[in-house]
Amino acid sequence: MTGDAELRLASGRRREHGPSGLSRRGFLAAMGAATGGAILAACAGEVSKVATQNASNIQLVYQDWQTEWFPAIAQKMLEDFSAAHPNIHVFFTQDPDNLAESMVADFEAGTAPDVFSGCCDFFPAWAQKGHLLDLRPFIEADLDQETINDWDPAQYQALRTHDGVQFGLPKYHGALALYYNKDMFDASKVEYPDGSWDHEDYARAMRLLAADVDNDGVNEQWGSMVDIAWERIQVHVNGFGGHFVDPENAKHSLMAEPDAMAAMTWVRDRMWEDHTMATFLDVQNLETRQAFIQQRIAMVEDGSWALKDILEGAPFRVGVTTFPAGPARKVTLATTDGFGIYAQTKHPEAAWELLKTLVSRDYGRAMARAHLLQPARASLVEEWIDIIREEYPTQSSGMDLAAFAEAHLKGQSVTAEVFANMDEARRIAKAAWERIFTLGQAPVELMKQVSSEIEQAQQVGNQEGS
Amino acid sequence: MSRLRRRVSWRGLVITIVLLITLAALGGAATFTYKAYVDASSALVIERDRELGYLSAARMREEIGKYSDILEELARSPDIYGNDLTAQRKKLLNSASRLAVFDGGVVLLGNLGSVRAVQPLRMEIIGEDWSNREYFTELFINKTAVFSDAVPDGPNGSMVVVIIVPVLNDQQEFVGGLAGMFRLGETTVSSFYASIVRLRIGQSGNTYVVDGNGQILFDSTSSKVGQSIESLKLPLDVLGGKPGAGRVRDAEGRDLVAAYSPIPGTDWTLVTEDDWATLTASIQGYGRVLLALLGVGMALPAIGVALLVRQKNAEMITKEQDLREDRVATLLHRGLLPDRPPFLAGWSLDLHHRPARVVGGDFYDFLVLPDGRLMVAVGNVTGGGVSAALVMVSARTALRGAAFRGLSPAEGLECSNELICPETKPGMTVTCTYAVLDPGTGQLQFSCAGEHGILSVGGTRLAEPMEKGPPLGEGIGARFHTAELTLSPGESVLLYSRGAFEMHSDRDESFGLHRLQAAAAEAPREAEACVAMLRGRLNDFESRAGPPSQDLTLVVLHRLAQPRPV
């Protein structure tokens, strides 16, 4: 009821009761209503003006990998997108050098891109800090179940925080596998690995493949190599039946539990006990992929994302098989590369339209063609294999390319486990692993202290709960 | 009544004039306050936009500075500042991923401005002399990063902006420049435009970046790149090299706040437009509230005064009507009530009548009948005013008529009741003591309707208790009882109205019948002395706070012991 109406009611009552019918209380009530009504009326109309924004000319920023080849596919895709959405102009830019940190600065400054890619442990860390838009309302309104089922459930789930915020959608499916140098295997008369391998087979082969070529008492050739990175260590722990993070409580560490300790001990022993697995010091800080391409190691734990580099760079016959099973189970790491939207974007609807294009089958195909990236959708795996065989017919012949998709199809994928305060957990673990694995200066027992410190770090700061 | 109307009108006129003057003063103050508020807020909005423009320009410089950082980092590489052409080209090639941000490519110039290497390769410009480029000249002079105006140095002569940094060798000697280029009007892959868009400058209007020649390098509508800033027809000195802001109407007639600020370290200017209505939405909201409050502040006193005047006028009219009614009733009352008791041989009669207000409810009557008897009545009509006076007239007439007809007091009351009943309003009744005295024999017949009665005076005999009937006018068919006593010479009786025993003291205690009986018993039998004594007692008892609350009527009939000579 407006103030005017209140006033009319009051004056009507007054007439009914005669000249002295309007009491002081009635008079004050009527005046109060009139004042309130007048103020409300004065405030009205503000919302509509603020809401009226020029939606006919929206500019967005899309940020993705810093690679030489990416701008070309981005340009093609964005031109198609502009044709379909003439009112939305998207400018592509590349990831900055130190993505994880500089993005946080951009988030805080309000200058982050509207749509961007993320991965690994920092992507959920951004979400934990509230920088990413919750996509659930858009997904419910705009995505069918068939699309969702086409993604690896582990990857899809990994792009969700513990309290249910879906902060990203899968970009591509990077699956960890075991590449091997067929020439080196043949030279050492070692049977090629296959999907039946477990960690014992893996260790046995490494022993046979490691070699002190110049007989100086130090190996120059190693069986394999592990990236000392969070999820690369974690996948071994998962194979041993352990976890880094309690699946029921994101603030509870399981890093010092027996299964986790056994897995890390297994890795460390290969590096520092039997010297069959190279450390970064052994290969003069070469990346694992380069160490493999340069034939310093006979096998490498690497993903489908490395296919193009390896197929183009390896001067030897390459084989690939699924990641060896651990004593407890067979698992493979699936990357958590995805696309997200900045929570403070001025145009969430337009950003969602762009994101839908980025997770489309067409974009999956484009990335497969441009850099052999394994599509996030299971339904595109066959096409992807055909693309590889078409582009690298010789190198890929005899390669079990389907091994990359096996975990996705068989439900064996695991993704990076994330603590509530992931930034701090990563920092603490990285420092410890440097001493344990890279330098060999500390035993795996150090992880007990590390686990405790990480748990303490979870109690500090405004982080997502369990 | 017309005089009253004139008084009310005059009073209303005076109040209205005073009120109008007050309202005019308030209105002036309100208008002045509102205008001052609007002016101050508008100035603040424009100043805020100017500050925001200045800050945004600084942020933009920081953002585009990232690109000069990339080039400077690369320029510090010995492969670049060395004189080995192959190494320079290889270094550029190996840095292709990082340099991909420059969508117009990267060009390495020698110390004299010749093109030495390009990434991606543009064979057609290798070896060209670019020493005439303004940005190279400026770089050569200042040895610091230069951000060029729009120039046609991009692939296939496309328009680009160039960021060029000096290449210094390890002796810090100038050996060339490394230029990164951004295509103008690029619609998709453009880190340069992305850098501007992500700053999210402006809330509700367009943003432009203009080079030193006034050519638009970027606009948030993606439609004016390459045009001159003059085409926007902003009546502001945008290229004056100083930050500023103003409220303007653009070429399309939109009401805008335009802010402009030079981008530090460049010849560029950042221009932002914001829709005035959107920008001032919150201020306008507050302004409307202020206006509403001022309006209410003016209206409330006006309405309040009007209501009070109306109420006062109504009270005056009511009071005047009451006064007029009282006047009429008083006239009626005075006309009805005898001034004094009649003379009666062998008797002394005295009367005291004091109305509580101008027109009291009490009445009394004396009438000497043709046979020499005396009719005495003391009564009270509930209520007041003209209607009560009229009922009193009816009662008096009825009682006199009954006396003339020779009816006994009880019959007289019954007959009067039948006559009065149709004329009394609900709740209005008549209490009455009705007596007929035979002066010769001293016989007194009387009857009472309601709480009235007769008391003997001087302790001779007690007239009370007696059987009393209901008040007259309560209902038809009431029955009354006639009592009788004979006054011997020297004896007296008192007829009283209700006020005699209902009179209240300061302690809110009523006088009561028992006190009245006691007073009557102690009173002298002589009529005047008796009345004087009773008045004294009642006056002493009655509350002094305020005017009398009760009518009081006392009539004393005294049979003289020795008849006075006539």
Side-chain angles (χ1 to χ4, degrees):
Chain A
M1 182 180 284
T2 65
D4 286 345
E6 287 280 3
L7 210 53
R8 279 199 297 274
L9 188 64
S11 59
R13 220 182 269 137
R14 190 179 58 185
R15 278 193 293 273
E16 195 175 297
H17 288 265
S20 58
L22 182 62
S23 65
R24 254 182 305 182
R25 183 174 294 179
F27 173 75
L28 291 174
M31 288 305 108
T35 309
I39 292 168
L40 282 177
C43 292
E46 235 176 90
V47 176
S48 59
K49 280 198 174 170
V50 172
T52 308
Q53 285 222 337
N54 183 7
S56 64
N57 211 331
I58 292 168
Q59 291 183 324
L60 298 177
V61 175
Y62 158 47
Q63 178 178 286
D64 211 323
W65 285 331
Q66 184 193 112
T67 65
E68 196 182 355
W69 55 270
F70 207 86
I73 67 164
Q75 181 160 17
K76 172 72 174 66
M77 290 304 299
L78 293 180
E79 282 169 0
D80 292 346
F81 179 79
S82 286
H85 303 86
N87 62 324
I88 306 175
H89 299 270
V90 183
F91 295 109
F92 169 79
T93 187
Q94 295 179 315
D95 285 341
D97 284 336
N98 47 350
L99 178 67
E101 291 77 21
S102 69
M103 278 292 280
V104 172
D106 283 335
F107 287 137
E108 300 290 349
T111 57
D114 299 279
V115 181
F116 45 84
S117 69
C119 76
C120 317
D121 52 336
F122 56 80
F123 201 23
W126 295 343
Q128 285 169 358
K129 289 176 179 167
H131 298 313
L132 305 190
L133 192 69
D134 187 357
L135 303 177
R136 283 177 295 182
F138 297 101
I139 292 169
E140 283 166 17
D142 228 5
L143 285 192
D144 56 26
Q145 198 56 43
E146 190 184 344
T147 301
I148 294 169
N149 292 342
D150 212 13
W151 288 319
D152 186 340
Q155 193 181 12
Y156 185 58
Q157 294 279 341
L159 298 173
R160 185 182 300 163
T161 62
H162 288 275
D163 58 359
V165 173
Q166 189 76 39
F167 60 84
L169 292 179
K171 175 181 179 181
Y172 80 102
H173 191 283
L176 197 66
L178 190 66
Y179 289 90
Y180 57 95
N181 182 330
K182 287 182 177 177
D183 293 350
M184 287 175 77
F185 269 72
D186 288 346
S188 300
K189 295 185 172 53
V190 181
E191 280 190 22
Y192 296 154
D194 60 28
S196 68
W197 266 28
D198 61 16
H199 270 55
E200 291 304 316
D201 299 318
Y202 188 26
R204 193 179 311 115
M206 279 194 273
R207 278 195 294 275
L208 295 171
L209 289 160
D212 176 9
V213 179
D214 57 6
N215 291 317
D216 63 352
V218 178
N219 285 350
E220 286 82 31
Q221 180 180 303
W222 292 266
S224 187
M225 191 172 174
V226 175
D227 259 334
I228 306 304
W230 184 272
E231 61 273 17
R232 299 299 184 88
I233 306 290
Q234 180 210 304
V235 70
H236 286 274
V237 169
N238 294 151
F240 274 69
H243 290 281
F244 278 173
V245 184
D246 185 344
E248 303 300 320
N249 183 356
K251 292 182 177 180
H252 183 214
S253 168
L254 299 179
M255 297 180 100
E257 293 299 306
D259 291 335
M261 296 288 279
M264 286 186 273
T265 301
W266 185 92
V267 173
R268 190 183 185 284
D269 284 353
R270 302 290 78 73
M271 292 176 174
W272 295 100
E273 294 300 320
D274 53 26
H275 299 282
T276 57
M277 193 174 258
T279 66
F280 280 95
L281 297 180
D282 291 329
V283 295
Q284 287 80 43
N285 284 326
L286 278 177
E287 290 178 358
T288 53
R289 193 176 308 162
Q290 285 305 313
F292 178 66
I293 289 171
Q294 293 181 23
Q295 304 191 70
R296 307 289 299 275
I297 54 178
M299 295 176 280
V300 67
E301 298 174 8
D302 212 337
S304 51
W305 57 87
L307 254 176
K308 192 174 180 78
D309 286 353
I310 290 175
L311 290 176
E312 288 186 349
F316 50 83
R317 291 175 301 129
V318 180
V320 68
T321 188
T322 55
F323 196 78
R329 58 182 178 143
K330 186 175 177 69
V331 291
T332 284
L333 180 75
T335 57
T336 52
D337 289 74
F339 293 110
I341 296 175
Y342 180 32
Q344 302 303 318
T345 180
K346 286 166 82 175
H347 311 290
E349 287 81 14
W352 169 249
E353 286 302 314
L354 175 61
L355 192 142
K356 274 198 300 180
T357 299
L358 298 177
V359 299
S360 68
R361 295 167 67 85
D362 286 345
Y363 210 48
R365 285 192 191 98
M367 284 193 288
R369 286 189 192 285
H371 208 71
L372 305 188
L373 289 178
Q374 182 182 340
R377 294 167 184 259
S379 60
L380 290 177
V381 168
E382 292 290 327
E383 274 186 63
W384 171 65
I385 291 174
D386 290 344
I387 290 168
I388 297 168
R389 297 210 188 283
E390 191 181 311
E391 193 168 343
Y392 299 95
T394 309
Q395 278 288 58
S396 67
S397 70
M399 281 182 77
D400 179 18
L401 294 170
F404 290 111
E406 190 175 305
H408 179 171
L409 300 174
K410 290 186 175 177
Q412 295 167 343
S413 298
V414 293
T415 56
E417 295 173 3
V418 180
F419 276 106
N421 183 350
M422 192 60 202
D423 283 347
E424 198 56 15
R426 183 174 43 161
R427 186 190 65 75
I428 295 167
K430 189 179 172 188
W433 288 339
E434 181 92 2
R435 297 181 61 204
I436 295 169
F437 298 117
T438 307
L439 301 174
Q441 292 173 342
V444 173
E445 278 65 33
L446 179 61
M447 291 307 295
K448 291 179 180 170
Q449 182 188 332
V450 167
S451 180
S452 172
E453 286 176 15
I454 286 177
E455 279 208 350
Q456 284 177 16
Q458 306 312 306
Q459 312 309 321
V460 183
N462 183 23
Q463 301 291 340
E464 176 194 350
S466 58
Chain B
M1 194 67 180
S2 61
R3 205 170 57 185
L4 174 66
R5 291 280 179 210
R6 277 200 299 277
R7 268 173 56 196
V8 170
S9 300
W10 177 84
R11 180 185 166 137
L13 184 66
V14 170
I15 291 172
T16 304
I17 290 168
V18 171
L19 188 62
L20 282 176
I21 293 168
T22 309
L23 283 179
L26 277 173
T31 307
F32 180 77
T33 306
Y34 180 71
K35 190 171 181 321
Y37 169 79
V38 168
D39 288 349
S41 337
S42 301
L44 277 176
V45 164
I46 292 169
E47 179 58 20
R48 190 199 67 160
D49 233 41
R50 192 187 73 84
E51 292 286 337
L52 276 178
Y54 180 74
L55 292 173
S56 298
R59 283 178 68 191
M60 185 173 292
R61 174 62 181 85
E62 195 179 323
E63 195 63 31
I64 57 177
K66 290 176 183 172
Y67 301 117
S68 58
D69 291 347
I70 292 171
L71 294 170
E72 280 168 353
E73 187 184 341
L74 188 61
R76 284 193 292 271
S77 164
D79 291 338
I80 294 295
Y81 67 69
N83 202 27
D84 183 346
L85 193 58
T86 308
Q88 287 174 329
R89 289 175 180 170
K90 190 176 176 188
K91 183 63 181 176
L92 287 189
L93 185 63
N94 290 340
S95 305
S97 292
R98 194 72 198 96
L99 297 179
V101 294
F102 298 101
D103 53 88
V106 174
V107 175
L108 177 63
L109 301 176
N111 62 340
L112 297 177
S114 63
V115 176
R116 292 177 63 83
V118 185
Q119 173 62 35
L121 189 59
R122 287 161 61 190
M123 280 303 295
E124 72 278 10
I125 64 167
I126 295 289
E128 271 188 11
D129 179 7
W130 283 19
S131 60
N132 61 345
R133 305 302 198 262
E134 278 186 25
Y135 52 83
F136 182 78
T137 309
E138 195 178 335
L139 178 78
F140 187 81
I141 295 168
N142 296 326
K143 310 287 191 299
T144 185
V146 174
F147 298 78
S148 81
D149 293 333
V151 291
D153 286 341
N156 304 315
S158 58
M159 295 298 287
V160 291
V161 288
V162 179
I163 299 176
I164 187 167
V165 299
V167 178
L168 306 173
N169 65 15
D170 46 9
Q171 277 86 46
Q172 296 300 297
E173 295 166 332
F174 180 79
V175 295
L178 187 59
M181 302 185 185
F182 295 108
R183 291 171 188 253
L184 292 187
E186 179 57 51
T187 54
T188 52
V189 177
S190 174
S191 292
F192 176 62
Y193 287 156
S195 294
I196 300 171
V197 172
R198 68 198 294 171
L199 292 177
R200 299 182 172 87
I201 299 167
Q203 299 171 34
S204 55
N206 299 330
T207 301
Y208 305 94
V209 176
V210 184
D211 71 8
N213 297 321
Q215 186 171 342
I216 295 173
L217 304 178
F218 165 85
D219 87 295
S220 56
T221 63
S222 306
S223 63
K224 294 189 174 68
V225 171
Q227 295 180 19
S228 167
I229 190 71
E230 300 295 331
S231 65
L232 301 181
K233 295 183 179 170
L234 298 175
L236 299 167
D237 184 18
V238 171
L239 301 178
K242 288 181 182 174
R247 186 176 176 185
V248 297
R249 288 205 177 269
D250 69 357
E252 295 160 15
R254 292 175 303 162
D255 190 5
L256 302 169
V257 176
Y260 50 95
S261 180
I263 299 172
T266 73
D267 289 337
W268 304 346
T269 302
L270 174 69
V271 182
T272 58
E273 294 175 345
D274 274 307
D275 177 57
W276 175 260
T278 306
L279 213 55
T280 56
S282 59
I283 293 170
Q284 285 173 351
Y286 288 123
R288 281 195 291 272
V289 171
L290 177 63
L291 202 57
L293 287 175
L294 291 172
V296 169
M298 287 174 60
L300 276 180
I303 294 170
V305 170
L307 287 175
L308 286 174
V309 167
R310 189 169 173 175
Q311 194 169 352
K312 285 291 172 194
N313 285 346
E315 282 174 8
M316 275 182 67
I317 289 168
T318 307
K319 198 172 175 182
E320 187 70 20
Q321 283 173 341
D322 287 349
L323 279 172
R324 286 176 58 80
E325 203 170 303
D326 282 347
R327 223 172 284 141
V328 172
T330 304
L331 286 172
L332 278 172
H333 206 246
R334 285 179 185 164
L336 289 175
L337 302 182
D339 293 337
R340 62 184 71 86
F343 174 77
L344 207 57
W347 291 80
S348 163
L349 281 61
D350 199 15
L351 160 72
H352 172 67
H353 172 68
R354 186 207 67 189
R357 44 182 288 180
V358 179
V359 182
D362 278 7
F363 68 92
Y364 58 89
D365 196 15
F366 301 96
L367 178 65
V368 180
L369 298 173
D371 58 3
R373 291 185 301 159
L374 174 70
M375 184 277 284
V376 184
V378 174
N380 175 271
V381 181
T382 54
V386 174
S387 53
L390 289 173
V391 171
M392 200 186 295
V393 171
S394 299
R396 175 178 175 272
T397 307
L399 291 172
R400 284 195 169 205
F404 265 107
R405 286 168 60 194
L407 299 179
S408 70
E411 289 167 340
L413 287 178
E414 285 166 7
C415 180
S416 298
N417 183 54
E418 302 303 309
L419 292 169
I420 289 170
C421 266
E423 296 188 11
T424 54
K425 292 178 181 175
M428 182 179 276
T429 55
V430 180
T431 52
C432 178
T433 299
Y434 178 54
V436 178
L437 174 69
D438 184 344
T441 62
Q443 184 192 46
L444 182 71
Q445 290 183 309
F446 60 96
S447 183
C448 293
E451 293 299 322
H452 282 243
I454 291 182
L455 290 173
S456 63
V457 177
T460 51
R461 281 182 294 168
L462 194 63
E464 298 279 0
M466 54 179 290
E467 195 175 334
K468 295 176 180 175
L472 303 180
E474 263 193 2
I476 292 172
R479 289 288 173 260
F480 299 88
H481 172 74
T482 298
E484 184 179 319
L485 63 87
T486 301
L487 295 172
S488 302
E491 287 188 327
S492 303
V493 290
L494 166 69
L495 283 74
Y496 56 90
S497 66
R498 277 189 353 196
F501 57 87
E502 286 184 350
M503 191 164 286
H504 280 71
S505 70
D506 287 327
R507 291 178 296 176
D508 204 28
E509 189 183 2
S510 66
F511 193 72
L513 197 57
H514 64 287
R515 282 199 184 93
L516 185 63
Q517 283 174 342
E522 292 170 12
R525 293 182 181 179
E526 178 57 32
E528 287 178 11
C530 176
V531 167
M533 182 268 192
L534 290 174
R535 280 178 63 187
R537 286 283 179 92
L538 287 165
N539 279 340
D540 292 344
F541 183 82
E542 192 174 27
S543 169
R544 298 287 184 274
S549 59
Q550 296 287 336
D551 289 349
L552 177 64
T553 304
L554 302 171
V555 173
V556 176
L557 308 178
H558 173 60
R559 187 174 184 183
L560 298 172
Q562 294 294 327
R564 293 173 187 157
V566 178

